[in-house]
Amino acid sequence: MGSLKHNWTDNSEEGLPLLVNCRGNEDISSRCRCLKMARAKINKYWDEMRDFARKAWEMGRSDPRKVIFAIKMGLALSFVSLLIFWKGSYEEITQYSIWAILTVIVMFEFSIGATFIKGFNRGLGTLCAGILAFCFAELSVISGKLEEFVIVISIFITGFFASYLKLYPTMKPYEYGFRVFVLTYCILMVAGNRTRAYTEAVLTRLVLIAVGAGVTLVVNIFIYPIWSGESLHNLVVKNFKDLATSLEGCVNGYLKCVEYERIPSNILTYQAADDPLYNCYRSVVQSTSQEETLLGFATWEPPHGRYKMYNFPWEKFVQVSGAVRHCAFMVMALHGCILSEIQAPPERRRVFSNELQRVGAEGAQVLRELGSKIERMEKLSPGDDILKNVHEAAEELQKKIDHKSYLLVNSESWEIRTRPIPKEQEDLKSLEETEEDENMELGFKSLSEAVLDLRSIPVRTASLPPCDVANNMFRRWPSNLSIDAESVIKGNECKTYESASALSLATFASLLIEFVARLGNVVESFEELSQKANFKDPVIISMPSGKKTLGGTWVV
């Protein structure tokens, strides 16, 4: 026992330093982990700040108007804040100068039209609230002991009617005015009850609000003005260019057999994506709300720059953009053919490639030319049929479809037979029956059958084996059609797949022709805009010697 106790004592004395060393190592390692986590978080925040600064810098470089707007805002606030430090100002002005500062903050908008709307709403709301507050203040003073009761009831009535009326559809542009009206009325009534100076409070606030509004208008109008009408004009031009880019991209991509291994989830949910084709037509489709906002601001702007006409027809710009958006839906459907699960084989696409390519190029050219005309505010040339080439291209495509329609359907299953003969006519003579069958057979033939006897022409898809053809046409065919991949490509099912793939090509071609048909609405809307907005006539210059055009003139 003695020796055991001696050994335990020796071991404990030797193990104590080891335990202390282990705990010390654990403390050091935990501190190192904490330092690494803190360093990682600091680096993460630093990278986020750098990324934010980079994006802010790029935003200012891409649109310098935003930087100028911020400078003008700071300049207007600096001018108004001088009222506080003005030595010769009245005590009331210095005390309530915050009203002028608030007016600048609230009224100062990015564009002139938005500033005018905010100023009108604030001025009208403040004036009506001041008049009503003055009337109810006199009534509350007359009521004597019921003064507080009258003030509370008046605030309830005012808030109820203002909040209810601003929900009326035609009062939507004046919603901000109702808010200002309620806010100003409540402040005047409560502050006037405390100071017993209703008249001075109302007049002082009206004067300071007028000062703030004046400074806002002067700075925003006379220092690099930003006009909503010009922004609307540029947006419509951009829609033309974006749609032309998407149209050409869809046609070229379809003819090059561009496929997506996996459709991006952003496209499926109609969100912003990295696909330029998708983003171009998506911006056209989603520009409706922006156009309506800019239209509401532009109608408040005075004549300026190129828009010197009184009551400039800004709504016609929105109408033209609506016609372009109507065409954008067709481009969206064309892009859907590229994204679809059922794809036509490349061999059949090449049969119609020249015609499809020409229709896409001519359609994009029409859009770009109209966009350029709107940008320069220029009319079409007299006698210039801007749709002539694209109509000819569409007609050639339609003729090619009529001539090669046997490639777009499964001709083996076409119903080329006689109509059912009633039982009561079965006793007719065989010669007459045979002649009638031949006539009815010809009557049931299509345009392609009138040129070719399709019953003697075997229709195949290139030289690929049936298995490869089916796999090429269907990337992700629903799995409930058959059990395994080999059984899918047998018999009638393989023919069904081929027919569906051919119909996808017919769908793409028909959508392109429909796009050409909708271009007529765009041209009509443009001509109406050019007449209402008094666009300038195009400059016509005679062609130099040795160069001739169909009309003998050169239009700039």
Side-chain angles (χ1 to χ4, degrees):
M1 291 296 291
S3 62
L4 181 61
K5 182 177 181 182
H6 177 74
N7 293 335
W8 181 82
T9 304
D10 294 340
N11 292 335
S12 62
E13 290 178 355
E14 293 177 359
L16 184 60
L18 294 176
L19 181 61
V20 172
N21 291 333
C22 291
R23 290 182 178 177
N25 293 333
E26 290 179 356
D27 293 340
I28 292 173
S29 61
S30 62
R31 290 178 183 177
C32 291
R33 285 196 299 269
C34 292
L35 289 175
K36 289 181 180 179
M37 292 177 61
R39 185 183 302 172
K41 289 184 178 180
I42 292 174
N43 291 335
K44 179 182 178 182
Y45 292 148
W46 174 249
D47 292 339
E48 290 179 354
M49 290 178 62
R50 290 179 58 186
D51 185 62
F52 175 78
R54 179 181 58 82
K55 291 181 179 180
W57 176 261
E58 291 178 355
M59 182 183 69
R61 290 186 59 186
S62 61
D63 192 358
R65 299 182 304 169
K66 296 179 180 179
V67 180
I68 296 173
F69 166 74
I71 294 174
K72 292 195 300 181
M73 181 70 171
L75 188 61
L77 287 173
S78 300
F79 285 157
V80 174
S81 63
L82 292 176
L83 293 174
I84 301 176
F85 307 104
W86 184 25
K87 299 295 184 181
S89 62
Y90 293 101
E91 182 180 357
E92 290 81 3
I93 294 179
T94 305
Q95 180 181 359
Y96 299 113
S97 58
I98 190 64
W99 284 80
I101 297 176
L102 289 176
T103 301
V104 173
I105 295 174
V106 170
M107 277 187 57
F108 211 101
E109 292 289 339
F110 185 76
S111 64
I112 305 300
T115 302
F116 272 110
I117 291 179
K118 280 291 186 71
F120 175 79
N121 279 279
R122 183 163 182 80
L124 184 62
T126 303
L127 181 62
C128 294
I131 295 174
L132 190 63
F134 179 79
C135 296
F136 272 102
E138 294 296 330
L139 181 61
S140 64
V141 171
I142 297 174
S143 60
K145 296 181 179 180
L146 299 177
E147 181 178 1
E148 290 79 5
F149 178 77
V150 172
I151 292 175
V152 172
I153 293 298
S154 66
I155 291 176
F156 171 78
I157 295 174
T158 304
F160 169 79
F161 280 103
S163 300
Y164 181 76
L165 290 176
K166 75 178 182 181
L167 300 177
Y168 196 72
T170 57
M171 294 294 178
K172 185 178 180 180
Y174 309 103
E175 181 181 0
Y176 174 71
F178 283 106
R179 294 181 182 274
V180 171
F181 169 76
V182 175
L183 176 64
T184 304
Y185 179 82
C186 294
I187 292 177
L188 289 177
M189 293 300 294
V190 174
N193 177 259
R194 187 181 68 254
T195 61
R196 297 293 178 177
Y198 291 103
T199 305
E200 291 78 1
V202 171
L203 294 178
T204 302
R205 284 160 175 78
L206 288 176
V207 170
L208 290 174
I209 289 173
V211 171
V215 172
T216 300
L217 293 176
V218 170
V219 173
N220 208 2
I221 293 176
F222 293 99
I223 300 178
Y224 196 87
I226 301 172
W227 304 98
S228 297
E230 187 175 359
S231 299
L232 177 61
H233 187 182
N234 295 334
L235 178 61
V236 174
V237 174
K238 179 178 177 295
N239 286 343
F240 274 92
K241 296 179 180 179
D242 287 347
L243 188 60
T245 302
S246 287
L247 176 62
E248 283 185 334
C250 286
V251 175
N252 294 333
Y254 189 78
L255 296 179
K256 293 178 181 178
C257 301
V258 174
E259 293 185 2
Y260 292 77
E261 295 182 359
R262 181 177 179 273
I263 301 176
S265 59
N266 290 340
I267 296 181
L268 293 176
T269 57
Y270 201 61
Q271 302 295 325
D274 295 332
D275 190 348
L277 277 181
Y278 168 76
N279 287 332
C280 284
Y281 71 75
R282 178 176 177 269
S283 65
V284 178
V285 173
Q286 287 194 330
S287 63
T288 307
S289 59
Q290 187 178 0
E291 291 171 3
E292 292 178 354
T293 302
L294 292 175
L295 175 62
F297 294 158
T299 53
W300 283 79
E301 294 176 349
H304 60 279
R306 296 187 296 171
Y307 320 102
K308 295 181 180 179
M309 179 188 301
Y310 183 72
N311 287 334
F312 195 82
W314 296 112
E315 66 279 357
K316 295 300 178 182
F317 279 91
V318 178
Q319 181 179 345
V320 171
S321 186
V324 174
R325 194 174 301 108
H326 193 53
C327 295
F329 294 136
M330 289 295 100
V331 177
M332 181 188 298
L334 292 174
H335 191 218
C337 292
I338 300 178
L339 301 175
S340 64
E341 306 291 337
I342 304 173
Q343 294 291 331
E347 293 78 12
R348 296 196 179 189
R349 300 188 197 190
R350 283 196 289 268
V351 175
F352 303 92
S353 61
N354 293 333
E355 290 75 14
L356 293 173
Q357 187 78 34
R358 186 186 174 191
V359 173
E362 293 294 343
Q365 179 64 25
V366 170
L367 289 173
R368 289 194 176 97
E369 186 173 352
L370 289 176
S372 178
K373 291 284 186 181
I374 292 179
E375 187 175 12
R376 300 194 305 265
M377 298 182 68
E378 183 179 284
K379 296 179 180 179
L380 292 175
S381 302
D384 182 16
D385 187 4
I386 194 174
L387 297 175
K388 179 180 179 181
N389 293 334
V390 70
H391 281 171
E392 290 178 355
E395 289 176 2
E396 290 181 4
L397 175 60
Q398 184 61 57
K399 291 178 181 178
K400 189 66 171 288
I401 292 174
D402 292 339
H403 186 63
K404 302 287 185 179
S405 61
Y406 59 87
L407 296 176
L408 303 179
V409 292
N410 185 7
S411 60
E412 295 179 0
S413 61
W414 281 2
E415 184 178 354
I416 308 175
R417 58 182 178 81
T418 59
R419 291 180 178 177
I421 301 176
K423 293 182 179 180
E424 50 272 6
Q425 297 181 0
E426 290 182 354
D427 55 347
L428 295 176
K429 295 180 180 180
S430 59
L431 181 60
E432 295 177 354
E433 184 176 354
T434 304
E435 292 177 355
E436 182 179 0
D437 289 342
E438 292 178 356
N439 294 331
M440 295 302 293
E441 181 178 357
L442 292 176
F444 271 81
K445 288 186 178 181
S446 68
L447 180 59
S448 297
E449 291 176 318
V451 180
L452 300 173
D453 188 3
L454 298 180
R455 291 170 292 181
S456 62
I457 299 178
V459 180
R460 293 193 302 259
T461 305
S463 58
L464 297 175
C467 180
D468 296 336
V469 172
N471 290 334
N472 187 34
M473 292 184 298
F474 295 89
R475 300 181 305 212
R476 292 178 296 276
W477 187 258
S479 59
N480 57 356
L481 292 178
S482 60
I483 298 176
D484 51 22
E486 295 182 356
S487 63
V488 172
I489 341 169
K490 292 181 180 179
N492 295 329
E493 290 187 357
C494 185
K495 296 179 181 180
T496 302
Y497 298 162
E498 293 179 5
S499 299
S501 67
L503 286 177
S504 68
L505 176 59
T507 301
F508 188 89
S510 63
L511 289 173
L512 201 56
I513 294 175
E514 175 63 21
F515 175 85
V516 175
R518 295 188 179 192
L519 280 178
N521 297 328
V522 180
V523 175
E524 292 178 0
S525 300
F526 169 79
E527 291 178 347
E528 185 177 359
L529 170 63
S530 62
Q531 294 294 333
K532 296 287 186 179
N534 196 18
F535 283 5
K536 62 182 179 181
D537 295 327
V539 180
I540 301 178
I541 304 176
S542 300
M543 285 291 293
S545 59
K547 296 181 180 180
K548 294 183 180 180
T549 59
L550 293 177
T553 57
W554 182 16
V555 180
V556 180

